[in-house]
Amino acid sequence: MDNTQDKDQLAGWIMERVNNWEDWRKNNYDERWNEYYRLWRGFWTETDKNRAGERSRIICPELAQAVETCVAELEDATFIRDRFIDVKDDVEEPDQQEQLDAYVRQLLDDYAETGVPQAIAEVFFNGALYGTGIAKIVVDQIKDPVIDNSNPDLPSIVFNTSYKVKLVPISPRNFVIDPIAKGINEALGCAHIISVPLSVVQKRIADGIYRNIPLNSYQESVEDLQALSEFEGRDKSAFCKVVEYHGLVPKKFLAKKEQLFDELESAINEMNMDTTIKAVDDGDDGELVEAIVTIVNND
């Protein structure tokens, strides 16, 4: 079986479960979430009538005020101090306290640069409006161009590689999870479903982040904007549907699976890390292993 067929089967295995989880979420929550959003924005629709003969279209601003007040109080409680995080020194050596303070200051500067406080505020808002606040940690590889003066007669441009850690808030509307599980650790998997501009996906293919496959636009809408009383007239031809799956997948579908996991487990053991690769047996699917899989346009 070639790698392309393995990946196609992997995508089908994941999308079958993601679609079922998304249907469960829509059937149980989307109608109420749409109502919460419209009331917060002050939009009125026929479905918001309490009686058939009701003619009033007044949207009371108290709900929006309550949500914003709650979020503001959470932000004040979290960021009331400039140093809103701290590091606990278990060893309590006086000589190391100054070094720990320097680490905290650097961490706060990195948080400010990558917009972590703003992301936390958005998570607070989603929690206040929908009842659930979700975020994911993303590590970006950054290549910064610098001038190389090692040869004074012929300066050149080289790229220094650095890594930035960001917090990305996720709307509950764009998130699905195994409904049977009580939390992330118990779930078979979860997925972040978003619309991404076509140009962004093309750039990620060019950078080698995504594998090079025939890319078509996604014609269906990921979000029902009309249910939110918002305009649906965007250019859908310029968007792709991206599903980022985090969870367990059949090991047999992963290319070069035996070598990959054997080398990873060996490297972890050499570093003396108290970590094991999570693997379970799921009947016909065989051994399941943890993976992050990105699927574009359900392919």
Side-chain angles (χ1 to χ4, degrees):
M1 184 178 295
D2 59 21
N3 293 345
T4 301
Q5 187 174 357
D6 282 343
K7 291 172 182 176
D8 291 341
Q9 289 184 346
L10 177 61
W13 187 92
I14 291 175
M15 290 308 303
E16 179 183 358
R17 285 150 182 80
V18 168
N19 290 335
N20 290 337
W21 300 345
E22 187 174 18
D23 290 341
W24 179 87
R25 188 209 66 200
K26 288 181 177 179
N27 293 333
N28 286 277
Y29 293 101
D30 273 18
E31 182 177 352
R32 283 181 290 175
W33 283 351
N34 292 342
E35 180 183 1
Y36 298 160
Y37 180 86
R38 292 194 304 267
L39 293 175
W40 170 69
R41 289 292 302 271
F43 294 150
W44 182 89
T45 64
E46 291 285 343
T47 59
D48 294 331
K49 285 184 176 182
N50 294 322
R51 300 183 305 275
E54 182 178 312
R55 294 184 296 174
S56 174
R57 296 191 177 187
I58 296 177
I59 302 296
C60 184
E62 289 183 358
L63 175 62
Q65 182 180 355
V67 170
E68 293 168 4
T69 300
C70 177
V71 174
E73 291 176 352
L74 290 172
E75 290 183 36
D76 288 342
T78 304
F79 305 115
I80 191 171
R81 299 182 303 165
D82 292 335
R83 179 169 169 166
F84 61 91
I85 62 171
D86 209 342
V87 176
K88 183 179 180 181
D89 183 9
D90 295 333
V91 181
E92 296 183 357
E93 294 184 5
D95 296 340
Q96 293 186 354
Q97 187 59 46
E98 185 176 349
Q99 185 177 9
L100 287 174
D101 291 340
Y103 287 154
V104 173
R105 288 194 298 271
Q106 181 62 52
L107 189 59
L108 289 170
D109 291 341
D110 292 342
Y111 281 175
E113 181 181 354
T114 57
V116 170
Q118 293 86 344
I120 294 175
E122 187 170 342
V123 173
F124 287 160
F125 168 76
N126 287 333
L129 184 61
Y130 298 114
T132 302
I134 309 169
K136 67 178 178 180
I137 299 174
V138 175
V139 180
D140 284 340
Q141 184 181 35
I142 308 298
K143 294 184 177 180
D144 298 319
V146 295
I147 299 177
D148 182 9
N149 292 319
S150 58
N151 185 354
D153 297 331
L154 187 62
S156 60
I157 300 294
V158 296
F159 293 89
N160 290 337
T161 301
S162 61
Y163 296 90
K164 299 293 184 182
V165 180
K166 300 189 300 183
L167 187 70
V168 177
I170 300 177
S171 170
R173 296 177 174 277
N174 303 128
F175 182 80
V176 296
I177 189 173
D178 184 358
I180 301 177
K182 296 181 180 179
I184 293 290
N185 294 331
E186 297 180 5
L188 174 67
C190 60
H192 185 197
I193 306 174
I194 51 175
S195 294
V196 176
L198 182 62
S199 58
V200 173
V201 178
Q202 291 173 334
K203 183 178 185 303
R204 291 175 181 175
I205 291 176
D207 293 341
I209 299 174
Y210 295 165
R211 68 186 177 106
N212 192 1
I213 59 174
L215 185 64
N216 299 316
S217 60
Y218 190 74
Q219 299 301 323
E220 299 179 15
S221 178
V222 175
E223 290 189 48
D224 185 7
L225 297 183
Q226 292 182 350
L228 304 176
S229 298
E230 293 190 345
F231 181 56
E232 188 72 49
R234 67 184 181 187
D235 183 10
K236 296 180 183 178
S237 63
F239 283 80
C240 292
K241 176 184 177 182
V242 175
V243 176
E244 186 178 290
Y245 174 86
H246 298 249
L248 298 173
V249 299
K251 183 178 178 181
K252 62 184 179 182
F253 291 152
L254 297 178
K256 299 181 180 178
K257 48 189 177 302
E258 294 87 358
Q259 179 182 358
L260 171 67
F261 284 93
D262 291 344
E263 290 179 356
L264 179 58
E265 188 169 13
S266 176
I268 291 175
N269 292 334
E270 289 178 1
M271 291 186 291
N272 295 323
M273 296 177 60
D274 186 18
T275 305
T276 58
I277 298 183
K278 187 175 181 181
V280 297
D281 192 351
D282 188 30
D284 295 339
D285 292 328
E287 185 179 4
L288 301 180
V289 294
E290 289 185 349
I292 299 176
V293 182
T294 301
I295 301 172
V296 179
N297 293 344
N298 297 338
D299 298 325

